[in-house]
Amino acid sequence: MSPSAVSGRNLNLVEIQERHFGPAHLFRLAGKCFSFVESTYKYEFCPFHNVTQHEQTFRWNAYSGILGIWHEWEIDNNTFVGMWMREGDSCETKSRQTKVHLACGKSNKLAYVSEPSTCVYSLTFETPLVCHPHSLLVYPTLTEALQRKWDEAEQLLYDELITDQGYKKILKEIFEEAGLLKATEENEVEKQSKKITLEFETVEKCSKEYKQLSEEIKKLRVLLGQHGIAYKGNLAGNSSVEYVRHQLATAVASVLNGSKDDEHLHGDTGMWNYTL
C-alpha cells in the first residue's frame, strides 16, 4: 500500500494555471498525480484537477469514476487547510465530493483515504511544501487592493464598528473576489442586484435615464392629445409615465364602451391598432 507519484496525464497546464489561486509555491504540484491503494481500490489525486477512484477487481460492474473536480479552497482561521474537489460522478441524489487535507510530510504523497459519509470522501495529502509555518497563510496571496480591504475590515472590527459576524462576511467576500472560494448561487443573485442598483449611482446614468423617461412621457402626452384627453400634471407625481399610461388606458376603455358614433372620434381610426 505504498503511495506513488505518477506524471499527470492529459492535463492542460495552462488551464490549470488559470484556475489556480492561492499559494504560488503549491502550483509546482500541478500536472502531477499521486496514487494510493487500499484494499481493492486505487485512488488518484491530481492537484488542481481531480480525484478519481478505480476498483481493481474483476467484477463486471466494478466502479471507476471521478470523486470530485477542483473547485475551491478550504480556509480556516485565515489559513489554507485543504482543497475541495466537488461535482464528481452522481451518487444517488447528489454528486460525489472530496476534501483533501494538506499536511506536512517529508515527500509528496497521498497518505490516507476515507469516506466519512456516503459519497463524501476525505483524503490526506502530505507534502514538504506546507511545512513552513507561513506557507499556507491567505493574506500574502491576495492583491494589494484586497489586502487593504482586509486591513480596513480589521480596523472596523477593532473599533467595534462591525461585529465578528460582519467581519467574517467581509473576509468571505474578499476570498470570493480573489477566486479562492466559489460564490454561492444566493450570493450571485445578490451581486447582480447590487450591480443593477449601482447603475443609477452616477449623475450621468441618472440623467440618461431621466431623459429616456421624459421622452416617453412626451410621446404619451401626444397620444392623449390626439384623442382629446386633457393632460394635467401636478406636484403629486401624476406626471409619471405610469399616470399618463393610465389616462390613455382610461380613454381607450371609454371609447370601447361608448356608442358607434364615438368610435371614430376626431376621425382617428388608427387608435385600435396602436400598441404601447
Side-chain angles (χ1 to χ4, degrees), residues 227 254-272:
H227 300 292
S254 175
V255 175
L256 287 174
N257 294 327
S259 64
K260 289 186 178 180
D261 291 338
D262 293 329
E263 287 179 359
H264 303 292
L265 188 64
H266 298 297
D268 182 13
T269 58
M271 174 181 176
W272 308 108

Side-chain angles (χ1 to χ4, degrees), residues 50-70:
N50 66 16
V51 173
T52 57
Q53 181 190 63
H54 308 280
E55 187 173 346
Q56 298 180 306
T57 66
F58 294 101
R59 292 191 309 152
W60 68 272
N61 63 340
Y63 173 75
S64 290
I66 299 174
L67 302 186
I69 299 170
W70 165 241

Side-chain angles (χ1 to χ4, degrees), residues 35 41 84 96 101-103 132 175 185 201 209 230 268 270:
S35 63
Y41 294 98
W84 270 108
R96 300 175 192 272
H101 300 267
L102 300 175
H132 191 281
F175 298 157
E185 217 171 282
E201 287 191 352
E209 183 66 18
D268 182 13

